[in-house]
PDB file of all heavy atoms in Angstrom:
ATOM      1  N   LYS A 293      15.847 -60.167  31.365  1.00  0.00           N
ATOM      2  CA  LYS A 293      14.806 -60.449  30.371  1.00  0.00           C
ATOM      3  C   LYS A 293      13.553 -59.681  30.740  1.00  0.00           C
ATOM      4  O   LYS A 293      12.884 -59.780  31.717  1.00  0.00           O
ATOM      5  CB  LYS A 293      14.427 -61.919  30.353  1.00  0.00           C
ATOM      6  CG  LYS A 293      15.582 -62.835  29.864  1.00  0.00           C
ATOM      7  CD  LYS A 293      15.116 -64.317  29.834  1.00  0.00           C
ATOM      8  CE  LYS A 293      16.328 -65.154  29.320  1.00  0.00           C
ATOM      9  NZ  LYS A 293      15.986 -66.642  29.235  1.00  0.00           N
ATOM     10  N   ILE A 294      13.279 -58.694  29.810  1.00  0.00           N
ATOM     11  CA  ILE A 294      12.165 -57.797  30.050  1.00  0.00           C
ATOM     12  C   ILE A 294      10.775 -58.416  29.786  1.00  0.00           C
ATOM     13  O   ILE A 294      10.579 -59.214  28.967  1.00  0.00           O
ATOM     14  CB  ILE A 294      12.333 -56.469  29.197  1.00  0.00           C
ATOM     15  CG1 ILE A 294      11.154 -55.543  29.395  1.00  0.00           C
ATOM     16  CG2 ILE A 294      12.358 -56.941  27.606  1.00  0.00           C
ATOM     17  CD1 ILE A 294      11.179 -54.919  30.754  1.00  0.00           C
ATOM     18  N   LYS A 295       9.936 -58.171  30.831  1.00  0.00           N
ATOM     19  CA  LYS A 295       8.501 -58.585  30.623  1.00  0.00           C
ATOM     20  C   LYS A 295       7.660 -57.384  30.813  1.00  0.00           C
ATOM     21  O   LYS A 295       7.581 -56.853  31.984  1.00  0.00           O
ATOM     22  CB  LYS A 295       8.064 -59.683  31.722  1.00  0.00           C
ATOM     23  CG  LYS A 295       8.903 -60.943  31.558  1.00  0.00           C
ATOM     24  CD  LYS A 295       8.615 -61.955  32.699  1.00  0.00           C
ATOM     25  CE  LYS A 295       9.425 -63.263  32.514  1.00  0.00           C
ATOM     26  NZ  LYS A 295       9.124 -64.225  33.657  1.00  0.00           N
ATOM     27  N   THR A 296       7.084 -56.974  29.712  1.00  0.00           N
ATOM     28  CA  THR A 296       6.312 -55.647  29.768  1.00  0.00           C
ATOM     29  C   THR A 296       5.063 -55.693  30.606  1.00  0.00           C
ATOM     30  O   THR A 296       4.518 -54.708  30.935  1.00  0.00           O
ATOM     31  CB  THR A 296       5.938 -55.215  28.323  1.00  0.00           C
ATOM     32  OG1 THR A 296       5.243 -56.279  27.689  1.00  0.00           O
ATOM     33  CG2 THR A 296       7.200 -54.929  27.540  1.00  0.00           C
ATOM     34  N   ASP A 297       4.648 -56.883  31.033  1.00  0.00           N
ATOM     35  CA  ASP A 297       3.535 -56.982  31.807  1.00  0.00           C
ATOM     36  C   ASP A 297       3.896 -57.114  33.367  1.00  0.00           C
ATOM     37  O   ASP A 297       3.048 -57.203  34.269  1.00  0.00           O
ATOM     38  CB  ASP A 297       2.626 -58.225  31.506  1.00  0.00           C
ATOM     39  CG  ASP A 297       3.459 -59.602  31.662  1.00  0.00           C
ATOM     40  OD1 ASP A 297       4.647 -59.474  31.591  1.00  0.00           O
ATOM     41  OD2 ASP A 297       2.760 -60.554  31.685  1.00  0.00           O
ATOM     42  N   GLU A 298       5.172 -56.859  33.623  1.00  0.00           N
ATOM     43  CA  GLU A 298       5.714 -56.882  35.010  1.00  0.00           C
ATOM     44  C   GLU A 298       6.518 -55.617  35.213  1.00  0.00           C
ATOM     45  O   GLU A 298       7.755 -55.607  35.406  1.00  0.00           O
ATOM     46  CB  GLU A 298       6.536 -58.129  35.278  1.00  0.00           C
ATOM     47  CG  GLU A 298       5.772 -59.392  35.220  1.00  0.00           C
ATOM     48  CD  GLU A 298       6.676 -60.648  35.519  1.00  0.00           C
ATOM     49  OE1 GLU A 298       7.831 -60.469  35.901  1.00  0.00           O
ATOM     50  OE2 GLU A 298       6.102 -61.720  35.307  1.00  0.00           O
ATOM     51  N   LEU A 299       5.894 -54.413  35.178  1.00  0.00           N
ATOM     52  CA  LEU A 299       6.542 -53.142  35.248  1.00  0.00           C
ATOM     53  C   LEU A 299       7.256 -52.894  36.584  1.00  0.00           C
ATOM     54  O   LEU A 299       8.259 -52.351  36.704  1.00  0.00           O
ATOM     55  CB  LEU A 299       5.555 -52.037  34.947  1.00  0.00           C
ATOM     56  CG  LEU A 299       4.999 -51.975  33.455  1.00  0.00           C
ATOM     57  CD1 LEU A 299       4.081 -50.813  33.330  1.00  0.00           C
ATOM     58  CD2 LEU A 299       6.124 -51.893  32.461  1.00  0.00           C
ATOM     59  N   ASP A 300       6.607 -53.440  37.668  1.00  0.00           N
ATOM     60  CA  ASP A 300       7.155 -53.226  38.995  1.00  0.00           C
ATOM     61  C   ASP A 300       8.515 -53.960  39.144  1.00  0.00           C
ATOM     62  O   ASP A 300       9.454 -53.449  39.664  1.00  0.00           O
ATOM     63  CB  ASP A 300       6.288 -53.838  40.165  1.00  0.00           C
ATOM     64  CG  ASP A 300       5.021 -52.895  40.307  1.00  0.00           C
ATOM     65  OD1 ASP A 300       5.236 -51.692  40.107  1.00  0.00           O
ATOM     66  OD2 ASP A 300       3.934 -53.363  40.696  1.00  0.00           O
ATOM     67  N   SER A 301       8.587 -55.096  38.540  1.00  0.00           N
ATOM     68  CA  SER A 301       9.873 -55.983  38.547  1.00  0.00           C
ATOM     69  C   SER A 301      10.920 -55.131  37.706  1.00  0.00           C
ATOM     70  O   SER A 301      12.081 -55.107  38.087  1.00  0.00           O
ATOM     71  CB  SER A 301       9.575 -57.283  37.880  1.00  0.00           C
ATOM     72  OG  SER A 301      10.787 -57.996  37.665  1.00  0.00           O
ATOM     73  N   PHE A 302      10.580 -54.570  36.602  1.00  0.00           N
ATOM     74  CA  PHE A 302      11.541 -53.784  35.831  1.00  0.00           C
ATOM     75  C   PHE A 302      11.940 -52.594  36.501  1.00  0.00           C
ATOM     76  O   PHE A 302      13.135 -52.201  36.405  1.00  0.00           O
ATOM     77  CB  PHE A 302      10.760 -53.398  34.436  1.00  0.00           C
ATOM     78  CG  PHE A 302      11.776 -52.681  33.453  1.00  0.00           C
ATOM     79  CD1 PHE A 302      13.021 -53.124  33.234  1.00  0.00           C
ATOM     80  CD2 PHE A 302      11.257 -51.504  32.768  1.00  0.00           C
ATOM     81  CE1 PHE A 302      13.810 -52.535  32.325  1.00  0.00           C
ATOM     82  CE2 PHE A 302      12.098 -50.860  31.872  1.00  0.00           C
ATOM     83  CZ  PHE A 302      13.398 -51.352  31.616  1.00  0.00           C
ATOM     84  N   LEU A 303      11.035 -51.872  37.191  1.00  0.00           N
ATOM     85  CA  LEU A 303      11.455 -50.676  38.020  1.00  0.00           C
ATOM     86  C   LEU A 303      12.366 -51.102  39.126  1.00  0.00           C
ATOM     87  O   LEU A 303      13.339 -50.347  39.368  1.00  0.00           O
ATOM     88  CB  LEU A 303      10.140 -50.090  38.648  1.00  0.00           C
ATOM     89  CG  LEU A 303       9.363 -49.230  37.728  1.00  0.00           C
ATOM     90  CD1 LEU A 303       8.097 -48.674  38.501  1.00  0.00           C
ATOM     91  CD2 LEU A 303      10.145 -47.909  37.328  1.00  0.00           C
ATOM     92  N   PHE A 304      12.162 -52.283  39.693  1.00  0.00           N
ATOM     93  CA  PHE A 304      13.081 -52.814  40.753  1.00  0.00           C
ATOM     94  C   PHE A 304      14.465 -53.008  40.179  1.00  0.00           C
ATOM     95  O   PHE A 304      15.521 -52.703  40.785  1.00  0.00           O
ATOM     96  CB  PHE A 304      12.537 -54.025  41.443  1.00  0.00           C
ATOM     97  CG  PHE A 304      13.342 -54.610  42.471  1.00  0.00           C
ATOM     98  CD1 PHE A 304      13.583 -53.957  43.706  1.00  0.00           C
ATOM     99  CD2 PHE A 304      14.058 -55.803  42.291  1.00  0.00           C
ATOM    100  CE1 PHE A 304      14.394 -54.497  44.726  1.00  0.00           C
ATOM    101  CE2 PHE A 304      14.903 -56.307  43.269  1.00  0.00           C
ATOM    102  CZ  PHE A 304      15.040 -55.639  44.477  1.00  0.00           C
ATOM    103  N   PHE A 305      14.503 -53.591  39.032  1.00  0.00           N
ATOM    104  CA  PHE A 305      15.793 -53.854  38.289  1.00  0.00           C
ATOM    105  C   PHE A 305      16.505 -52.617  38.062  1.00  0.00           C
ATOM    106  O   PHE A 305      17.824 -52.469  38.267  1.00  0.00           O
ATOM    107  CB  PHE A 305      15.484 -54.674  36.986  1.00  0.00           C
ATOM    108  CG  PHE A 305      16.700 -54.683  36.152  1.00  0.00           C
ATOM    109  CD1 PHE A 305      17.714 -55.624  36.404  1.00  0.00           C
ATOM    110  CD2 PHE A 305      16.794 -53.906  34.981  1.00  0.00           C
ATOM    111  CE1 PHE A 305      18.847 -55.705  35.544  1.00  0.00           C
ATOM    112  CE2 PHE A 305      17.891 -53.994  34.202  1.00  0.00           C
ATOM    113  CZ  PHE A 305      18.901 -54.922  34.407  1.00  0.00           C
TER     114      PHE A 305
END
Side-chain angles (χ1 to χ4, degrees):
K293 294 182 178 180
I294 179 65
K295 296 179 181 179
T296 52
D297 58 343
E298 296 181 8
L299 293 179
D300 286 331
S301 174
F302 185 43
L303 282 174
F304 179 70
F305 169 76

